Amino acid sequence: MKNNYSLAERNRIVEEYLPYVEWVIRKNRALMKAAKLEYDDVYQQLSLRLVKAVCTYDPDKGELGAHIWAQLHFELMNCKRPLRTCGMTGLPKDYRRGNIVSFESIREDSELYEQLIAA
């Protein structure tokens, strides 16, 4: 961390700049639609980036608001693939959003069950 924010102060700053997440999404809604990104996923990803931006902010290199704005735009440009959204990079290549299966429905003799146990 390049700044001396306490946890409470960091949280206050994140809450103060949280509207930036909404502004970036609103400004780039056409891009999100073209990339088939879901609002909730992008909002979560940008919110996490906001926390990182506040933690990595270096006061010697410029204004906090400009740093956050740039970080959020950068993160939005990297939300291209649904598999990457929210850190889900370890999923199988054939994963689709509709392929969600509850743990209760997986039989013990299936290959997927073996993979879950190994993980």
Side-chain angles (χ1 to χ4, degrees):
M1 178 151 59
K2 298 180 189 321
N3 51 54
N4 295 324
Y5 296 139
S6 67
L7 187 59
E9 191 173 4
R10 184 206 69 186
N11 290 343
R12 183 193 57 76
I13 293 170
V14 167
E15 287 178 15
E16 179 182 335
Y17 284 96
L18 202 54
Y20 277 36
V21 171
E22 189 64 41
W23 292 340
V24 169
I25 289 174
R26 231 180 300 133
K27 187 173 181 171
N28 295 287
R29 194 158 309 271
L31 174 69
M32 289 174 49
K33 187 174 180 180
K36 298 180 180 167
L37 297 172
E38 294 182 23
Y39 171 85
D40 291 338
D41 292 338
V42 173
Y43 189 90
Q44 181 178 11
Q45 191 76 13
L46 293 182
S47 298
L48 291 171
R49 186 59 173 231
L50 172 62
V51 174
K52 277 188 201 174
V54 171
C55 289
T56 61
Y57 171 63
D58 186 357
D60 296 335
K61 293 191 176 181
E63 203 178 303
L64 177 60
H67 174 70
I68 290 172
W69 190 258
Q71 292 291 312
L72 293 178
H73 277 281
F74 177 79
E75 187 65 29
L76 182 66
M77 295 303 135
N78 286 322
C79 285
K80 294 178 240 168
R81 294 179 31 216
L83 300 183
R84 186 191 180 287
T85 305
C86 303
M88 296 171 46
T89 55
L91 294 175
K93 291 183 187 212
D94 61 344
Y95 173 79
R96 302 281 185 262
R97 283 206 181 270
N99 289 351
I100 297 174
V101 179
S102 70
F103 289 121
E104 292 81 25
S105 65
I106 299 173
R107 295 188 330 232
E108 290 185 22
D109 60 343
S110 72
E111 183 180 321
L112 186 57
Y113 183 80
E114 296 296 324
Q115 291 174 359
L116 288 173
I117 298 300

